[in-house]
Amino acid sequence: MTTYDAIIIGTGQAGPALARRLAGTGMKVAIIERGRFGGTCVNTGCTPTKTLVASAYAVHMARRGADYGFSVGGEITVDMKRVKARKDYVAGLSNKGVERSLKKLENGTVYEGHARFRSPHEVEVGGAVLGADKIFINVGGRAAVPDIPGLDQIDYLTNSSMMDVDFLPRHLLVLGGSYIGLEFGQMYRRFGSDVTIVEVGPRLIPREDEDVSEAVAAFLGREGVAIRTSAKCLSLSRRDGEIVMALDCDEGAREVRGSHLLVATGRRPNTDDLGLDRAGVKVDQRGYIEVDDELRTSAPGIWALGDCNGRGAFTHTSWNDFEIVAANLLDGDQRRLSDRIPAYALYTDPPLGRAGMSEAEVRRSGRRALIARTAMEDVSRAFEKGETEGFMKVLVDADSRQILGAAFLGTSGDEAIHCVLDTMYAKAPYTVLQRAVHIHPTIAEFIPTILGDLAPLS
């Protein structure tokens, strides 16, 4: 057995940063990676998908040339091989950068292979046995595939295998009307595919407020994306060279057909083949590793960071997991998961930026609250850009005057939301943000104006 001060399993967002911090103190660190360095974000998530979103946006804006006073002199065509090559280049830089930095890390040793616990302080990888008093699990997650009759007979795609697509599907069926499904659905519609999104729930992105769901469905519909909600998928089959999805629904056709199928029905943690039982690490019913407020597992000396702990499932929350662990272990700075304010974005066009509580959550809380809302078409910068889809809304606690949450669905909404988020972290009353002088013309400049229109939440 080779002994280390610390072992890090997985090289997603939290793992490499923690390895560098630990090794920088002189600790001897082993880093284990079974696949591509960088985890989901770098290889199959944020970096490649947002690169594809950018290509789709450019195509969309080129088609809108007449709206801006120019023409391109013919039909816009998309070369998917070049689109994929651009995506591969951008993602490859990040992937290679993570791998190179870890393999050159002083006091660090990289092992490539699948890690399994032998005991609470022993891990086996590729025939080698490693021991350490501190072990950090950062193994991420993967696409969850539902148990649907016939699915095992279909060559379906997931968010990961979509990264290998270098052609244009004639008709892409998307099973799942949430974040991943909506981003890919709009993207491929803009590239030129027919797209049908099938959602079992009564509306798209059900964790969002109804007005957000309705607005997203509206602008996707205007772009030609077909949407089927309240549509339970009963079975899948192949018929006449097509994929046929049989539906149970109150309205519309009882089946939809397409050339390709993307399964986007959620995520599951990569924890089922780590030997966690031998380490004494508890998981919940869905397989997520249970952690306390400092990311410690049920086994002393073992921490779980990132998507595998089910406490965020975003790149930025995984990074914050690293910050919490490093602060408590190395800096004497007591940081907690419970200090984190929920915040994320949906990268449709326009994007959705979300922070804090939704309107539905505020209503359920029963507290006295204020709300203000404005349509993006009334925001001058959005109007000038010709991108007026969506709206912005902010909710405030009527007693403390602190901001409870906000949803900005519109151009630059994923950036402007940080004005609200930072104010929430400062625990400042909304009047601090209301009295700020923002730069004109921007999207964020309208936030103080919105806050001036707060009214009781009925």
Side-chain angles (χ1 to χ4, degrees):
M1 185 175 70
T2 306
T3 303
Y4 291 89
D5 296 305
I7 297 172
I8 296 173
I9 305 173
T11 62
Q13 190 69 16
L18 184 59
R20 287 188 283 270
R21 279 299 314 273
L22 296 174
T25 68
M27 294 176 66
K28 188 179 175 185
V29 182
I31 305 111
I32 304 173
E33 176 53 59
R34 71 173 182 178
R36 288 181 286 183
F37 288 80
T40 297
C41 177
V42 165
N43 296 292
T44 60
C46 316
T47 299
T49 59
K50 278 48 185 181
T51 305
L52 292 171
V53 165
S55 291
Y57 177 77
V59 171
H60 178 66
M61 295 306 287
R63 291 195 179 111
R64 290 188 61 200
D67 296 343
Y68 297 91
F70 71 91
S71 62
V72 294
E75 182 182 356
I76 304 296
T77 59
V78 178
D79 184 340
M80 290 303 296
K81 284 183 167 40
R82 291 173 63 188
V83 169
K84 179 180 180 295
R86 176 178 179 270
K87 179 267 296 179
D88 289 343
Y89 171 74
V90 174
L93 289 177
S94 297
N95 164 264
K96 292 180 178 64
V98 173
E99 181 176 1
R100 184 169 53 247
S101 68
L102 290 176
K103 289 184 174 179
K104 291 183 176 180
L105 181 64
E106 186 176 359
N107 297 322
T109 303
V110 172
Y111 291 83
E112 296 187 61
H114 186 86
R116 291 182 181 86
F117 281 92
R118 287 171 46 127
S119 73
H121 298 290
E122 293 178 312
V123 174
E124 184 173 359
V125 54
V129 179
L130 317 180
D133 290 334
K134 295 180 175 64
I135 300 178
F136 304 90
I137 305 170
N138 180 222
V139 294
R142 64 188 185 276
V145 179
D147 184 17
I148 299 174
L151 182 59
D152 59 345
Q153 304 299 312
I154 302 293
D155 292 328
Y156 61 87
L157 296 157
T158 67
N159 70 293
S160 296
S161 55
M162 286 294 290
M163 297 299 101
D164 298 324
V165 173
D166 63 354
F167 58 90
L168 189 65
R170 179 181 54 79
H171 188 158
L172 180 65
L173 303 178
V174 180
L175 182 58
S178 197
Y179 308 95
I180 294 173
L182 297 185
E183 291 179 19
F184 276 111
Q186 184 184 45
M187 178 198 308
Y188 272 86
R189 178 60 191 146
R190 289 180 169 187
F191 287 148
S193 298
D194 288 333
V195 174
T196 300
I197 296 175
V198 177
E199 166 58 37
V200 65
R203 57 189 176 89
L204 299 180
I205 36 176
R207 73 180 283 181
E208 302 298 337
D209 289 327
E210 289 189 29
D211 53 0
V212 172
S213 296
E214 291 170 359
V216 171
F219 67 68
L220 290 178
R222 283 191 284 272
E223 291 191 29
V225 176
I227 298 170
R228 299 293 304 275
T229 55
S230 299
K232 182 179 179 181
C233 181
L234 295 178
S235 65
L236 286 152
S237 61
R238 273 205 167 274
R239 192 186 313 155
D240 301 327
E242 291 188 311
I243 295 172
V244 180
M245 185 185 299
L247 305 177
D248 178 12
C249 47
D250 295 330
E251 297 180 1
R254 301 301 296 268
E255 66 177 31
V256 292
R257 296 186 175 208
S259 59
H260 296 81
L261 171 67
L262 168 63
V263 177
T265 52
R267 306 281 291 169
R268 59 176 297 186
N270 292 325
T271 58
D272 45 348
D273 193 20
L274 291 176
L276 294 178
D277 55 332
R278 293 192 290 272
V281 174
K282 293 181 180 179
V283 298
D284 66 15
Q285 292 182 339
R286 298 187 298 161
Y288 289 100
I289 298 174
E290 296 179 356
V291 295
D292 67 10
D293 221 14
E294 295 182 13
L295 285 311
R296 293 174 297 204
T297 71
S298 56
I302 302 179
W303 290 256
L305 303 84
D307 294 6
C308 67
N309 64 32
R311 301 294 290 272
F314 302 104
T315 296
H316 53 278
T317 53
S318 182
W319 178 264
N320 184 235
D321 285 356
F322 145 68
E323 293 178 316
I324 291 170
V325 170
N328 284 286
L329 280 180
L330 305 176
D331 302 332
D333 181 9
Q334 196 174 56
R335 297 183 64 172
R336 300 285 183 268
L337 270 177
S338 53
D339 294 331
R340 189 155 71 202
I341 298 171
Y344 54 86
L346 163 66
Y347 291 95
T348 51
D349 175 36
L352 167 69
R354 280 266 284 111
M357 301 172 72
S358 67
E359 181 179 339
E361 289 170 333
V362 172
R363 290 183 183 278
R364 287 195 296 267
S365 74
R367 71 185 73 199
R368 290 198 321 125
L370 308 173
I371 188 171
R373 171 181 166 134
T374 191
M376 291 301 295
E377 63 185 4
D378 295 327
V379 179
S380 58
R381 183 64 189 279
F383 196 75
E384 292 151 7
K385 292 176 68 178
E387 300 182 35
T388 56
E389 297 277 10
F391 60 89
M392 296 193 288
K393 66 175 176 180
V394 182
L395 293 118
V396 169
D397 188 291
D399 298 316
S400 69
R401 300 198 300 171
Q402 290 187 0
I403 298 174
L404 296 172
F408 293 172
L409 176 64
T411 181
S412 299
D414 54 330
E415 294 285 353
I417 196 67
H418 291 93
C419 295
V420 171
L421 187 58
D422 291 345
T423 304
M424 294 175 71
Y425 272 111
K427 301 186 186 302
Y430 78 88
T431 50
V432 171
L433 182 54
Q434 181 190 10
R435 294 171 183 174
V437 179
H438 286 186
I439 297 168
H440 174 79
T442 61
I443 300 300
E445 74 163 317
F446 219 82
I447 300 174
T449 303
I450 298 172
L451 291 171
D453 294 331
L454 287 167
L457 180 65
S458 60

